[in-house]
Amino acid sequence: MNTGINAAAIIGGGVIGGGWVARFLLMGIDVNVYDPDPQAERKITEVLNNARRSLPDLYEHRLPVEGTLVFSDSIEAAVANVDWVSECVPERLELKQKVLNEVQLHCSSSTIVSSSTSGFKPSELQQGSTRPEQIIVAHPFNPVYLIPLVELVGDAETTQNAKQILSKLGCFPLVVRKEIDAHIADRLLEAVWREGLWLVKDGIATTQEIDDAISYGFGLRWAQMGLFETYRIAGGEAGMAHFIKQFGPALEWPWTKLMDVPELSDSLVQTIADQSDAHSGKHSIRELERIRDDNLVAMMRSLKATNWGAGELLNTMDKQLSADAHEAGSYLTTINRTIPSSWTDYNGHMNDSRYSEVFSVASDEVMQSIGANADYIEGGMSYFTVDMHITYNQECHHGDAITVATRIANGQGKKLKLEHAMRNEQGELLASCDQLLIHVDLEARKSCLPLEAVAIELSKLADQHQSLGKPY
Ligand code: NAD
């Protein structure tokens, strides 16, 4: 996969830096990290392990071969010869300026130098810099390896270059038109956070009740449509203008305490900490991270089916990854992927129905490669499976990498007979499948001969596969 960059440096490997390390590495990019914390390597390795078990679950194709991770002993060593730098040190302006200054001293002038800052503006970060346009904000969201959004703020050309790179890493870069404290998303989150603190301070709700109000309610809506699209629907047929008319006056009522900030007294902090312990203290942070990651993966995967929001982004990324998966050897390589956790069942291995799913997708890939693609189907022609025999040889587990080699055993007339072999990374046979498809006219719902272009492609491939034996 060509991401346009070969190497990145992460300065500061905490929560956010560790997440960037994982996103870059798992997308095949070499990463240098600099962090003076003696615990940095352990912490980054733990974040990386979480990412390794969840990020591949998002896609129907295998991720590129992991990049190489190097722990550098200085900023100078980390940033020499890299195309991208993410500064992820604590949110203190003078520290960020000092670090960015040192980064610029040692990196190439063509390197993109980004800051993960939640709140500072590029103009503040650039103070004292001789190449200010090189420094932009690239503000990600935790966990950086799963949440697609990255807000980009700064010089138009540099942010456009950054946008191209991040898109290839599966991110959703959002260019912020004008610099402003806390960009877009954190301004919204800050409003909700302040209200939450007031509700606890005034004894209206516990931390769990507030979290329930989000995760059982509007949080579900926001994962697939934002504020304005959701309210547009809430306006009913009369639409957005009606919604604003109906609820506009409420803005004048005391529904919000946004102008005031509750004093974060010791007792308020303790109340919040105690309630949070009671709510979530039974899980360690790493356990909570894994629960969060599994839930995020499940939600984003479900949005793939409707090709909406984050799901649409994943489908686009799948196409990019599949371009690599098609480097066919003698047989067609129709599947090259890892097994997501949601495919495993109570026995701890891949459910039998998923084997059928794998072979069904493998036959779709064959259809693609002979030109029986979305346009062909739109034109009223397709292939239907009429017979499928699966032999299960070995268990598959979450995270296993699998490939399917497919042979076209017969491509004459209306018939498309396929033989699939599913193997693991060690080359062991996990399952095999014989599948017969028949070409159909989708309007008449009856079998018919394929159109000429498809028939020619199919017979070309079938001839090549004649001399091969079964793939299993
Ligand atoms: P963190 O405290 O988890 O990590 C900061 C890391 O920087 C630590 O590992 C520390 O050892 C290291 N560090 C300190 N001084 C350094 C130096 N001089 N050189 C190199 N490394 C140094 O903090 P974080 O939550 O990862 O936040 C980092 C940045 O990301 C902040 O600007 C923050 O606003 C932003 N951010 C945080 C979140 C979040 O949810 N935590 C989300 C988006 C953006």
Side-chain angles (χ1 to χ4, degrees), residues 23 27 54-61 63 145-148 167 169-172 296-305 307-322:
R23 166 84 65 181
M27 288 297 168
S54 59
L55 180 64
D57 282 13
L58 290 177
Y59 301 110
E60 314 311 315
H61 299 278
L63 295 180
Y145 49 85
L146 287 182
I147 301 279
S167 302
L169 302 177
C171 298
F172 184 86
L296 284 172
V297 166
M299 286 190 296
M300 287 197 273
R301 280 188 68 82
S302 68
L303 288 173
K304 289 177 108 169
N307 199 33
W308 188 266
E312 187 183 11
L313 185 75
L314 294 183
N315 287 335
T316 306
M317 188 66 184
D318 261 328
K319 284 197 191 108
Q320 191 181 315
L321 292 166
S322 85

Side-chain angles (χ1 to χ4, degrees), residues 106-364:
H106 301 292
C107 74
S108 151
S109 58
S110 61
T111 303
I112 291 177
V113 178
S114 70
S115 170
S116 296
T117 178
S118 302
F120 297 123
K121 301 187 286 267
S123 60
E124 294 170 307
L125 301 167
Q126 292 162 352
Q127 273 164 32
S129 166
T130 50
R131 297 193 303 265
E133 68 288 348
Q134 188 179 17
I135 299 174
I136 59 167
V137 167
H139 175 233
F141 293 79
N142 196 26
V144 180
Y145 49 85
L146 287 182
I147 301 279
L149 182 65
V150 181
E151 292 175 309
L152 294 174
V153 202
D155 175 74
E157 196 182 327
T158 317
T159 52
Q160 277 313 313
N161 292 341
K163 185 176 173 177
Q164 280 186 8
I165 292 167
L166 292 174
S167 302
K168 291 195 172 146
L169 302 177
C171 298
F172 184 86
L174 179 66
V175 177
V176 180
R177 291 161 191 270
K178 282 186 183 175
E179 66 166 28
I180 181 175
D181 294 318
H183 329 309
I184 298 173
D186 277 353
R187 291 189 83 89
L188 298 169
L189 285 178
E190 178 89 349
V192 177
W193 175 230
R194 281 185 195 218
E195 284 301 326
L197 292 175
W198 274 116
L199 290 168
V200 176
K201 181 177 164 51
D202 292 348
I204 309 291
T206 64
T207 57
Q208 173 158 7
E209 286 160 353
I210 295 167
D211 284 0
D212 285 349
I214 296 171
S215 52
Y216 288 93
F218 62 84
L220 288 169
R221 295 196 305 221
W222 282 3
Q224 46 84 53
M225 281 181 191
L227 187 61
F228 287 94
E229 209 163 32
T230 299
Y231 283 170
R232 181 191 172 82
I233 299 172
E237 284 184 14
M240 198 73 198
H242 169 71
F243 179 84
I244 293 173
K245 245 191 207 156
Q246 189 175 351
F247 292 103
L251 294 173
E252 306 281 333
W253 304 338
W255 273 20
T256 175
K257 290 206 176 192
L258 268 193
M259 297 309 141
D260 297 326
V261 186
E263 189 205 337
L264 289 173
S265 63
D266 290 350
S267 83
L268 178 58
V269 171
Q270 197 56 50
T271 303
I272 293 172
D274 289 347
Q275 290 184 1
S276 177
D277 285 350
H279 177 198
S280 320
K282 57 184 178 290
H283 301 293
S284 72
I285 290 296
R286 292 288 173 236
E287 274 167 1
L288 278 175
E289 283 173 350
R290 283 192 284 274
I291 292 166
R292 172 203 64 192
D293 289 359
D294 286 350
N295 291 338
L296 284 172
V297 166
M299 286 190 296
M300 287 197 273
R301 280 188 68 82
S302 68
L303 288 173
K304 289 177 108 169
T306 51
N307 199 33
W308 188 266
E312 187 183 11
L313 185 75
L314 294 183
N315 287 335
T316 306
M317 188 66 184
D318 261 328
K319 284 197 191 108
Q320 191 181 315
L321 292 166
S322 85
D324 290 353
H326 258 94
E327 286 159 19
S330 51
Y331 303 106
L332 287 174
T333 304
T334 45
I335 299 286
N336 184 7
R337 64 165 305 143
T338 48
I339 306 300
S341 68
S342 57
W343 280 19
T344 55
D345 62 15
Y346 42 76
N347 289 318
H349 60 200
M350 184 162 86
N351 184 272
D352 54 344
S353 66
R354 300 298 182 177
Y355 286 77
S356 319
E357 184 170 341
V358 167
F359 293 125
S360 169
V361 174
S363 64
D364 280 348

